[in-house]
Amino acid sequence: MTPEKVINEIPKVLLHDHLDGGLRTSTIIELAKEEGYKKLPTSDPGELAEWFHRGANKGNLVEYLQGFEHTCGVMQTREALERVAYEMMEDMKNDGVCYVETRFAPVFHTNRGLYYEDSVTAVLKGLERGKKDFGVGFGLIICGMRNMKNTIDFAELAINFRSQGVVGFDLAGEEGGYPPKKHLEAFQAIQRANFNITIHAGEAFGKESIWQAIQWCGAHRIGHATHLTEDFTYDNDGNVAGFGKLASYILDKRIPLEICLLSNVHTGAVDKIENHPFGILFKKKFRVTLNTDDRLMSDTTMTNEFLLAIKHFKLTLDDLEKITLNSMKSAFIHYEERLKYIYEIIKPGYQRTRDKLLSFNNLTADNEEIISKL
């Protein structure tokens, strides 16, 4: 049994996934033909995938985001949105994901006359069909964009659909020049409704962005948080000697961090995976989770993100189970539901894997050549 097969089969939980960042290239091409979208650089699925990967891997968040013009460009009808959501659920099943929280920004799906409510309804319909057919649980997160002024509309939209599968509200987009505190009205609406908040923060801007997201806006989870280590102190040997007040607060309050390894390299948040702060954050017992961010742009899956973590941070099967439990504990669904996933799916799934293997360390040793190529 190869490492890839083992990791693919273990139960995984994905909390930070962008619906418009994970389309199949064959679907993009088909939808472009159906909708008369003529801006694609190629009509060959393989070439198009390479185009997305090449464009995303430039070490710059602004350039990374340019590919979304095309994915959003073909997601402008109810049928297209439902199809993309449904196929995403099938992809999750094939990746061993038992529960996923995907997110999207309705503001980008109105070019052909859809109302915001139409787009949310269509996505939820696709997710529900996917749950029925593939057995994967889901929650939908509505994104407001930090460079726009109408985020209150999307906060209220999230609240209005909370009984139909929407589980929270997110603030996304370019960080520089657009601090989260400019959207207090939206976050206060979410807080008054006793609802859930996650915010992209500390990816392309410093620890101040994370501090604002938590202390001004009431974030329950932080997306990326790669700059949190700016609040660490180090000794002369480069070892962590202590935490500042922000890092201590996040550690003490168990605020979940939605870590996306490969995406952070592609956007330039870190220079290479082995230097990603995930290693320190995990070692110091922060509540870290592993995620894909944009599966198409970064050419990744949860299986791939786990394999990268094994290779660069020497994680064991026990470590992966801990991270998966972190993710499930941090999901924006009710406590009873989280417990069912933990005790009926995740823990039994990891135990089945242990029963197949004498030890995860032996697996890694026996397949050292394969691991080295990942």
Side-chain angles (χ1 to χ4, degrees):
M1 180 178 284
T2 65
E4 292 92 335
K5 184 172 178 58
V6 173
I7 301 306
N8 179 263
E9 289 182 355
I10 57 176
K12 292 176 282 292
V13 175
L14 173 52
L15 299 182
H16 192 118
D17 174 84
H18 290 268
L19 185 65
D20 52 357
L23 281 71
R24 302 171 183 174
T25 52
S26 58
T27 296
I28 295 173
I29 292 166
E30 290 177 15
L31 291 176
K33 291 178 181 178
E34 293 174 6
E35 299 183 16
Y37 182 83
K38 301 184 182 301
K39 295 183 180 180
L40 294 184
T42 176
S43 59
D44 179 88
E47 291 178 359
L48 185 59
E50 177 58 29
W51 182 90
F52 276 108
H53 306 159
R54 186 172 60 249
N57 195 8
K58 293 183 177 180
N60 181 280
L61 179 59
V62 175
E63 293 190 60
Y64 182 93
L65 295 174
Q66 289 176 353
F68 288 88
E69 175 188 358
H70 299 305
T71 56
C72 290
V74 300
M75 296 169 65
Q76 298 296 328
T77 66
R78 293 180 181 86
E79 294 77 15
L81 287 163
E82 181 181 344
R83 174 180 175 176
V84 169
Y86 179 80
E87 290 180 351
M88 184 275 293
M89 294 292 276
E90 184 176 21
D91 294 340
M92 291 297 111
K93 174 66 174 180
N94 293 335
D95 194 20
V97 174
C98 63
Y99 175 82
V100 56
E101 288 182 358
T102 192
R103 59 188 76 188
F104 87 119
V107 71
F108 294 132
H109 304 278
T110 60
N111 293 350
R112 297 187 63 179
L114 287 184
Y115 293 108
Y116 299 146
E117 291 82 1
D118 296 331
S119 63
V120 176
T121 299
V123 170
L124 288 171
K125 185 176 180 181
L127 295 174
E128 286 287 358
R129 283 205 301 121
K131 180 178 181 179
K132 179 180 179 181
D133 289 352
F134 307 117
V136 177
F138 75 88
L140 179 61
I141 295 172
I142 301 298
C143 295
M145 302 306 297
R146 58 202 320 144
N147 64 327
M148 300 181 184
K149 296 181 178 180
N150 61 342
T151 48
I152 181 61
D153 295 339
F154 301 105
E156 292 174 346
L157 187 70
I159 295 167
N160 291 341
F161 278 88
R162 68 185 300 175
S163 63
Q164 296 165 254
V166 172
V167 296
F169 175 71
D170 174 35
L171 186 68
E174 185 182 352
E175 280 187 88
Y178 304 103
K181 68 179 182 180
K182 289 188 176 182
H183 303 274
L184 284 183
E185 184 182 12
F187 293 116
Q188 288 171 352
I190 296 290
Q191 290 172 316
R192 286 194 298 270
N194 299 308
F195 208 27
N196 302 307
I197 298 170
T198 181
I199 300 178
H200 284 69
E203 177 187 16
F205 202 74
K207 64 180 181 180
E208 297 83 4
S209 180
I210 303 172
W211 177 78
Q212 279 192 24
I214 295 171
Q215 305 302 354
W216 281 72
C217 306
H220 303 108
R221 296 194 322 230
I222 296 295
H224 299 292
T226 50
H227 284 271
L228 180 60
T229 50
E230 293 175 3
D231 203 42
F232 289 15
T233 57
Y234 302 86
D235 61 23
N236 292 333
D237 296 322
N239 300 312
V240 176
F243 306 124
K245 292 181 179 178
L246 173 64
S248 294
Y249 184 88
I250 290 171
L251 177 63
D252 294 344
K253 298 298 183 183
R254 316 305 298 142
I255 295 174
L257 306 177
E258 303 163 358
I259 303 296
C260 308
L261 295 175
L262 198 54
S263 169
N264 287 159
V265 175
H266 292 162
T267 62
V270 298
D271 60 348
K272 50 187 177 180
I273 289 180
E274 51 263 44
N275 292 337
H276 198 289
F278 166 80
I280 296 174
L281 293 168
F282 180 73
K283 183 178 180 180
K284 295 300 179 180
K285 310 300 183 184
F286 285 80
R287 181 177 278 190
V288 293
T289 69
L290 283 174
N291 306 275
T292 55
D293 202 11
D294 301 294
R295 289 167 287 115
L296 169 61
M297 281 63 174
S298 289
D299 187 21
T300 196
T301 61
M302 281 296 289
T303 297
N304 186 51
E305 296 290 325
F306 273 20
L307 287 168
L308 288 170
I310 292 168
K311 176 182 177 182
H312 294 287
F313 304 106
K314 311 303 181 186
L315 299 192
T316 66
L317 187 63
D318 287 346
D319 294 331
L320 296 181
E321 182 177 23
K322 181 177 181 179
I323 291 168
T324 303
L325 292 173
N326 281 348
S327 298
M328 199 66 248
K329 291 175 182 177
S330 306
F332 286 159
I333 53 176
H334 293 303
Y335 175 68
E336 293 83 0
E337 295 177 83
R338 299 198 302 268
L339 289 182
K340 289 185 68 174
Y341 280 100
I342 289 172
Y343 290 106
E344 296 180 14
I345 298 176
I346 296 172
K347 284 182 174 291
Y350 274 86
Q351 188 57 50
R352 282 194 299 272
T353 299
R354 290 189 182 92
D355 291 341
K356 293 180 181 179
L357 306 167
L358 292 176
S359 74
F360 192 66
N361 289 333
N362 286 342
L363 168 76
T364 303
D366 292 343
N367 295 276
E368 184 174 353
E369 182 178 356
I370 297 174
I371 288 287
S372 67
K373 295 178 180 179
L374 297 176

